[in-house]
Amino acid sequence: MSVSEIPHENRQNGGEKRYLKANHEQVSVFFEYPNNTIKTSKYNAFNFLPLNLFEQFQRLANAYFLILLFLQLIPQISSLPWYTTVIPLVVVLSITGVKDAIDDMKRHQNDNQVNNRSVLRLVKGRMEEDKWMNVQVGDIIKLENDQPVTADMLLLSSSEPYSLAYVETADLDGETNLKVKQAITCTSDMKDNLDLLSAFDGEVTCELPNNKLHRFTGILSYKGKDYFLDHDKLLLRGCVIRNTDWCYGLVIYTGPDTKLMQNSGKYTFKQTHVDRLMNILVLWIFLFLIVMCLMLAIGHGIWENKIGYYFQIFLPWENYVSSSFVSSLFIFWSYFIVLNTMVPISLYVSVELIRLGNSYYINWDQKMFYAPKNTPAQARTTTLNEELGQVKYVFSDKTGTLTQNIMIFHKCSINGTLYGDVIDKTGEKVAVSEKDKIDFAYNKLADPKFSFYDKTLVEAVTKGDPWVHLFFLSLSLCHTVMSEEKVEGELVYQAQSPDEGALVTAARNFGFVFRSRTSETITVVEMGETRVYQLLAILDFNNVRKRMSVIVRTPENRVMLFCKGADTIICELLHPACISLCDVTLEHLDDFASEGLRTLMVAYRELDNKFFRTWSVKHGEACLSLDNREKKLSIVYEEVEKDLMLLGATAIEDKLQDGVPETVMTLSKAKIKIWVLTGDKQETAVNIAYSCNIFEDEMDEVFTVKGKDSETVRQELRKARSKMKPDSLLDSDPVNIFLAKKHKALFTMPEEAHALEGDVELELLRVACMCKGVICCRMTPLQKAQVVELVKRYKKVVTLAIGDGANDVSMIKAAHIGVGISGQEGMQAMLNSDFAFSQFYYLQRLILVHGRWSYNRMCKFLSYFFYKNFAFTLVHFWYAFFNGFSAQTVYDNWFITCYNLIYTSLPVLGMSLFDQDVNDTWSLCFPELYEPGQLNLYFNKKEFMKCLIHGIYSSLVLFFIPMGAVYNSERSDGKEISDYQSFSLIVQTSLIWVVTTQIALKITYWTVISHFFIWGSLGIYFCLLFLLYSDGLCQMFPNVFQFPGVARNTLNQPQMWLSIVLIVVLCMLPVIGYQFLKPLFWPVSVDKILKRIHYCMKHPLPPPIRPRRRRPGLRRSAYAFSHQHGFGALITSGKTVKSKALKKNSFPAKK
Amino acid sequence: MTWSATARGAHQPDNTAFTQQRLPAWQPLLSASITLPLFFCAGLAFIGLGLGLYYSSNGIVELEHDYTGDAGSSNCSVCAAEGQGRAPPPPCSCAWYFSLHELFPGPVYLYYELSSFYQNNRRYGVSRDDAQLSGLPSALRQPANECAPYQRSATGLPIAPCGAIANSLFNDTFSLWHQHQPAGPYVEVPLDRAAIAWWTDYHVKFRNPPLVNGSLALAFRGTAPPPNWPRPVYELSADPNNTGFVNQDFVVWMRTAALPTFRKLYARIRQGDYSAGLPRGAYRVNISYNYPVRAFGGHKLLIFSNISWMGGKNPFLGIAYLVVGALCILVGFAMLVVYIRYQDQTDDDDDDE
């Protein structure tokens, strides 16, 4: 087909549709579809310099200094030589540039690795190996088992029956269960016939690239027929092919157009609160600068008018200056240049360096390294560290974050007997250890990973207790698990939910091995004997029924119904004969519930043949009915699921990640609120909330909000609020009501998010913030993000979202800080996170230790940094009053150049990389220490004003003491000391001493490096002083180094050192006094804790605080089952059951 | 991902004190037991030092005279009136008579002081060419732009030394005469005018351009003197070591002052009979009054002063030390009181818990 044959309506590439044709490269070329290269890097070797510089100058501070540089080049106003700005600017730009270059190199390497992966591509009737990046739209490519999908493509055919292909979408959406994709019949017939595939010329018209993972519509036109395409036929880049030997696909979206890349889309640049504050402060400083310049310009005008005009006999006005007004216009800019150091040039680059360093500490932390998976913690974003010290809200995912998503068959109650606890002779529970594990060697088909500790159950099984046998038989029959047996005796279960897998595995180990199934039969190996049960019906699970049943015909021709489900439901369906058993079992269930186990009741019923036959007819009718099918089916189901005989109950442990309850407790002591946002059901979520301390039994009550429309939601919220604090309804809108009362709230999000609409969301927020623990269930990823946004918008606090799956990505991106749990299946969450580590309990270390340190360091850094620049710059302001407002600097130009860059940079960097008020152990022992960060006490506008006042005071002292000391004074040999250069030297040396002692006072943790940096900086100052003022340099460049001999002549004068001592003492004593009096006059809780810690440090460590064992309290149902709609329909329809594969795989021995 | 295929433990972070932030450290605490003694000690030390400074400054004798010539103040007012409004002012002489009733202990230094003279004005301060002053021949012919408007003369010749500072060189001269006996003759007191500039300035910073045929005048050929100067730079003094750019008065003047009121050393009196100081008697200072300052409200002063170990007379440091010392002790006491009161309170609070 030539390009001209392309249907006219499709010619417009910018149109609404994408058009492509299989095996026709020209189409792809014509529409200029990109090839499959992905590019995440920003620069290449040629554009790096201009592009990077351009980006850097977009930053306000850098642009400011560039403008300043241009101002300095104007001789009429230049009050400082150009190098005072150029040298710092070049250093700052190159540090940032090097950092950007290193980052981009890494991205280049990653891109190259991905782009150069190889894939089989159909070229001229042959499969050829090619690189990923060469794949074009319209190509047909072949994928094999366990290969990642190259591009978004239409499944054409596969090795599996019905042209199914199984994919794992963990990287895409975090779900670990396999998904089924099916090719349409017209293409699946081609199988792996390369001739047919090469001849295939189907035309696809589909939507334009978009980021909706679960939506795709398109039409395939082939041989004159149109076939409808949906996302069930699309293999997305990022998926991995599983359990499918090979499959062929037609590439539809490539490279940047794929849904994966469209989703990863633009990176939202996160700014910390400190960043924002810094920008505001820089703006303030800028305004302050302008005001000062204005004042000085006015002063200059007056001076020139009153004195300067007459002083013209010695200093005539420049020829372009016609009046004092014109002169003051020029002087405005001159002072703008002189005072530029108010806006600290190295502020931003220092902040970046500090954050980088503190990020490295996170990467290096051994206590956040997870050895079993070999994953260290990772600070993926290096610009958010101090934000970690201000977290107020933590939003956590449940599955995979709080829990491991591993279900373990933990206990069971069979016919009134409790199994699972190991009890010694005295009847006490004994802690189990690995070596007590029961050996299931008698059962060849047992799963070696399964562990159980109670020997009595095994004894019961081997003794042949009929109830126990029936119990396990029901577990091995009543499920929708599928088995796979690639090697004889090694069964692999594909369960839709891990709960089911756990139950079936338990049955398997105890000798009731579910071996294989077809649409009509279930093969079970019962205590070594293979029996085939006829599967008559699956009464599938749903959220209303909360139970599932199977009806089977045993080899003995009995019709049996096995049912498992929630205790609340099953109890009502039981036969009156087993009420007493039910009571005992319910007691056991309470025990299970208090341990946070997920429970199910198991029951059975024997049906007589006739009854079943009539029921079966009804069932068949209900199945075929078109309207109200669901409802009719559930009525039919209810008819048969009654008069059940109770068998027992199972208790599954939803294994929490290590240390979750302790972490939650520590974090809540640090006044961090933890909200659990989960897509899971309410029961499951509540269960987990109890077991990980988010809900505690001593909390007052649970508010459950699950209205179906916004009005009922509002009513429920209002009711909850009036209960907690009746008068809070009166004050109309303040969101920040804080209540210490311990409440817990539970929000179940209905399908349509009514609770997140308009004014209801405010109501929701108010109620939720009053509660101690909050759980939101049935959340879609979008809703998770909405909740985070909600809190972010109204509460003005720092939020942190932690999750592991792709469904958490939106929340991770929305929160101020996103944390990904890495090392699990699926990388999506981690790739979008700012910090990643592999265990939830590392969160407390991340926040309470690293976050707190980073925040403290950053605050100390900022307050010191602003102070040192104020003290440095404002001296010029005072000097202006004595030099005719002529923009004369107090310091030598070289001092101005080096001050921020050399003399004072290292001590402050050292402080902000090494300082720690208390070590990590104490930080974790006293989570209360975290509070100042949340309230942002250590650096805010008030603190900034303190810095400013302190700076003004210091500059006053720094100027007037030397002035008084040299005024009309002479050296001891009668020569001059009141000359400008000596005066400069005195002031600048005093300044260096003052800022150095100031930082020495700030440092609380003096490492060797701190000593080295501080004394080293002082040393460097004096060395450079003698170098810059040396005879040789001055003779070589007399106009650049104008201060020869000043150091030698003045440093030996007593006035100089007397001034320095006086200045240092005058500057330090108020600070020491303030530090001393502050905790006495305005004590904060932290002071008390610090005092206690300092006291404790002199004494041995207290015993680590053990978390209290939670006492079982309220009776509650612990029913939980992470089950959505089951596989049931699929199984009975026979669609996914690999009838061929079954013969091939399950019984290889018989082949 | 990146670390999936690597060996076990490959990503284990190093267990060093540095990476784990466990560097051994000294953690000082500003407790009351340090702070309060610190205040008291600093206070006492400062008071002691302040007393010493104050008395040594007070021991210095100073004698100063304003010879600006404001109407009626001294006989220099004639010169001042004559020079009014004329540039350059005509040469004029006047004298200052004073008598000492006791010995003015030596060594005695003679200073001149100018007030309201903005040597620290930036435009004034940069109006020089250090390259030219360091004797670079190229800079001699090409003075720096900063020197403007004293960069080139009206005829286009480069000015040497260029710039406003050099142009405004102080050119009053003084001589001191001593009358041993009343009505006796005045004897000239020798003024030692050598080595009044910094050694480094005189030997390093200021250099004459290389002599041409052994002559400094030839070296300066093709340059013009600053407009205010009556003589070219190479005729500043007859002494070949004290002329040109290395003239002591010139070097002293070129070291600009930090403040608008400043003193500059004119001479030392340490020779002959006067090595121990100025004996009692009547004195006369002959002033050749050339330098105009009245136009901008400036003043010219002559000062005789001697010197202590910590320089010239300046009570500031002594007083400042005394005040700061006293403040330290006062604040120390206040803090002690506060500490005792609030300490009890916090203890009570702790007990309440």
Side-chain angles (χ1 to χ4, degrees), chain A residues 78-79 110 303-304 307 310-311 313-318 334 361 363-367 369 371-372 374-376 378 822 827 830-831 850 853 857 879 882-884 886-888 913-914 916-917 960-961 963-976 978-983 1001 1004-1009 1011 1031 1035 1038-1039 1042 1044-1046 1048-1050 1054-1055 1058-1059 1061-1062 1065-1066 1069 1072-1073 1075-1077 1080-1081 1088 1091-1092 1094 1097, chain B residues 1-3 6-15 18-32 35-36 38-39 46 49 53 109 111 113 116-118 120-124 129-131 134 136 144 149-150 164 167-168 195-201 204-205 228 252 255-265 268 291-292 295-296 307-314 316-317 320-321 324 328 335 338-339 342-343 346-347 349-350 353:
Chain A
S78 167
S79 45
N110 281 343
W303 185 86
E304 286 287 356
I307 299 166
Y310 302 101
F311 195 58
I313 50 167
F314 292 126
L315 184 62
W317 286 356
E318 305 280 1
S334 299
Y361 284 134
N363 297 346
W364 286 336
D365 195 339
Q366 275 207 314
K367 290 181 183 149
F369 171 74
N374 193 19
T375 41
Q378 250 189 320
S822 60
M827 285 288 178
M830 191 207 123
L831 289 177
H850 289 286
W853 279 344
R857 287 166 184 174
Y879 194 35
F882 297 88
N883 63 28
S886 59
Q888 176 68 294
L913 288 178
F914 301 112
Q916 37 183 287
D917 49 354
F960 285 102
I961 298 286
M963 178 180 142
V966 302
Y967 179 73
N968 273 357
S969 186
E970 298 89 30
R971 297 162 24 144
S972 43
D973 60 358
K975 292 179 191 174
E976 279 180 291
S978 64
D979 65 300
Y980 167 70
Q981 295 189 337
S982 301
F983 181 70
L1001 275 183
T1004 52
Y1005 194 78
W1006 285 80
T1007 62
V1008 185
I1009 302 174
H1011 280 288
D1031 301 349
Q1035 277 168 339
N1039 274 332
Q1042 295 173 327
V1046 179
R1048 266 175 293 164
N1049 277 300
T1050 310
Q1055 281 110 321
L1058 287 170
S1059 309
V1061 171
L1062 187 65
V1065 167
L1066 262 180
L1069 284 184
I1072 297 176
Q1075 279 187 5
F1076 178 79
L1077 293 177
L1080 294 176
F1081 279 129
K1088 214 172 265 178
K1091 212 171 123 190
R1092 197 185 306 164
H1094 290 307
M1097 277 209 282
Chain B
M1 247 326 264
T2 39
W3 61 63
T6 42
R8 188 182 173 80
H11 292 98
Q12 168 112 23
D14 293 339
N15 185 17
F18 174 69
T19 57
Q20 303 306 314
Q21 307 198 62
R22 281 189 277 101
L23 285 174
W26 172 56
Q27 289 174 274
L29 261 186
L30 274 181
S31 61
T35 314
L36 292 175
L38 187 76
F39 269 76
F46 268 54
L49 210 57
L53 286 171
Y109 295 77
Y111 296 95
E113 177 177 319
S116 299
F117 192 100
Y118 285 82
N120 60 1
N121 191 300
R122 185 180 59 82
R123 280 196 301 117
Y124 182 87
D129 185 352
D130 280 307
S134 74
L136 275 181
Y150 303 110
N167 181 51
S168 59
I196 54 173
W198 282 10
W199 188 91
T200 45
D201 284 354
V204 180
K205 199 174 176 186
N228 280 8
V252 167
R255 179 153 288 280
T256 55
L259 297 166
T261 299
F262 58 89
R263 289 178 183 185
K264 289 194 180 288
L265 184 59
R268 294 188 180 86
Y291 203 67
F296 54 90
I307 269 192
S308 75
W309 62 275
M310 43 85 53
K313 189 180 181 83
N314 186 345
F316 174 82
L317 273 179
Y321 266 78
V324 172
C328 275
M335 280 166 57
V338 169
Y339 177 70
Y342 281 81
Q343 184 67 20
T346 42
D347 284 350
D349 291 351
D350 287 344
E353 275 174 16

Side-chain angles (χ1 to χ4, degrees), chain A residues 174-234:
Chain A
E175 295 173 25
T176 51
N177 54 320
L178 297 185
K179 303 236 164 53
V180 183
K181 304 276 175 181
Q182 190 179 24
I184 41 179
T185 37
C186 70
T187 59
S188 63
D189 296 340
M190 293 188 285
K191 285 287 166 193
D192 53 350
N193 187 329
L194 290 184
D195 296 335
L196 286 176
L197 284 169
S198 326
F200 178 65
D201 62 348
E203 293 167 29
V204 175
T205 316
C206 63
E207 58 191 12
L208 293 177
N210 59 50
N211 60 1
K212 298 188 183 74
L213 285 179
H214 298 295
R215 226 195 74 187
F216 173 73
T217 51
I219 288 167
L220 170 70
S221 314
Y222 180 49
K223 291 185 179 162
K225 274 192 193 163
D226 283 356
Y227 301 89
F228 179 73
L229 306 174
D230 60 12
H231 85 273
D232 273 339
K233 299 170 179 64
L234 201 64

Side-chain angles (χ1 to χ4, degrees), chain B residues 116 149 211 287:
Chain B
S116 299
L211 302 182
I287 302 166

Side-chain angles (χ1 to χ4, degrees), chain A residues 1 135 326 362 535 770 1124:
Chain A
M1 172 169 130
V135 170
V326 177
I362 294 174
L535 181 62
M770 279 190 237
Q1124 286 145 21

Side-chain angles (χ1 to χ4, degrees), chain A residues 1036-1139:
Chain A
M1036 273 188 280
F1037 310 100
N1039 274 332
V1040 183
F1041 302 96
Q1042 295 173 327
F1043 279 55
V1046 179
R1048 266 175 293 164
N1049 277 300
T1050 310
L1051 282 178
N1052 57 9
Q1053 291 306 305
Q1055 281 110 321
M1056 161 126 195
W1057 295 102
L1058 287 170
S1059 309
I1060 290 176
V1061 171
L1062 187 65
I1063 289 168
V1064 170
V1065 167
L1066 262 180
C1067 286
M1068 286 313 117
L1069 284 184
V1071 180
I1072 297 176
Y1074 178 72
Q1075 279 187 5
F1076 178 79
L1077 293 177
K1078 196 183 154 207
L1080 294 176
F1081 279 129
W1082 305 282
V1084 224
S1085 58
V1086 178
D1087 292 330
K1088 214 172 265 178
I1089 297 163
L1090 284 176
K1091 212 171 123 190
R1092 197 185 306 164
I1093 290 173
H1094 290 307
Y1095 174 79
C1096 291
M1097 277 209 282
K1098 291 175 193 151
H1099 303 82
L1101 275 169
I1105 304 153
R1106 287 246 156 257
R1108 294 160 291 147
R1109 184 80 203 137
R1110 204 167 35 75
R1111 294 306 316 147
L1114 301 160
R1115 278 193 150 211
R1116 60 167 193 272
S1117 166
Y1119 149 75
F1121 203 56
S1122 63
H1123 209 309
Q1124 286 145 21
H1125 218 83
F1127 275 152
L1130 276 175
I1131 292 171
T1132 42
S1133 74
K1135 196 171 171 186
T1136 53
V1137 180
K1138 311 172 198 171
S1139 45

Side-chain angles (χ1 to χ4, degrees), chain A residues 566-717:
Chain A
D567 45 339
T568 48
I569 303 281
I570 302 274
C571 273
E572 286 164 16
L573 303 174
L574 289 180
H575 194 270
C578 44
I579 282 179
S580 59
L581 175 59
C582 181
D583 287 342
V584 179
T585 310
L586 278 179
E587 244 169 68
H588 292 162
L589 282 176
D590 280 339
D591 281 357
F592 297 159
S594 66
E595 288 172 50
L597 301 175
R598 298 153 71 99
T599 58
L600 281 177
M601 265 188 166
V602 183
Y604 82 102
R605 181 186 178 194
E606 186 159 1
L607 303 171
D608 80 66
N609 261 320
K610 219 171 80 193
F611 174 78
F612 173 71
R613 240 172 279 133
T614 49
W615 179 84
S616 182
V617 174
K618 278 190 214 164
H619 180 229
E621 280 169 10
C623 280
L624 294 174
S625 64
L626 290 172
D627 45 83
N628 263 340
R629 185 162 161 270
E630 289 276 314
K631 204 177 164 195
K632 280 181 188 164
L633 268 178
S634 67
I635 294 168
V636 174
Y637 288 168
E638 267 168 39
E639 276 176 34
V640 72
E641 288 170 328
K642 61 183 182 191
D643 295 336
L644 302 176
M645 300 301 292
L646 183 61
L647 277 171
T650 59
I652 292 171
E653 187 186 358
D654 186 357
K655 239 186 151 197
L656 289 181
Q657 299 233 352
D658 294 339
V660 168
E662 292 83 357
T663 306
V664 169
M665 204 130 92
T666 316
L667 292 184
S668 51
K669 264 202 231 156
K671 299 234 167 78
I672 295 171
K673 295 194 169 186
I674 302 178
W675 290 19
V676 176
L677 310 182
T678 174
D680 221 330
K681 289 200 321 292
Q682 185 187 325
E683 292 85 354
T684 327
V686 171
N687 221 10
I688 290 301
Y690 276 106
S691 58
C692 60
N693 278 341
I694 290 173
F695 282 4
E696 285 171 33
D697 284 329
E698 54 263 41
M699 287 181 182
D700 290 354
E701 57 192 306
V702 183
F703 298 112
T704 312
V705 178
K706 47 176 172 184
K708 285 273 185 284
D709 58 68
S710 53
E711 203 38 54
T712 49
V713 169
R714 197 202 313 271
Q715 290 302 326
E716 283 173 8
L717 287 170

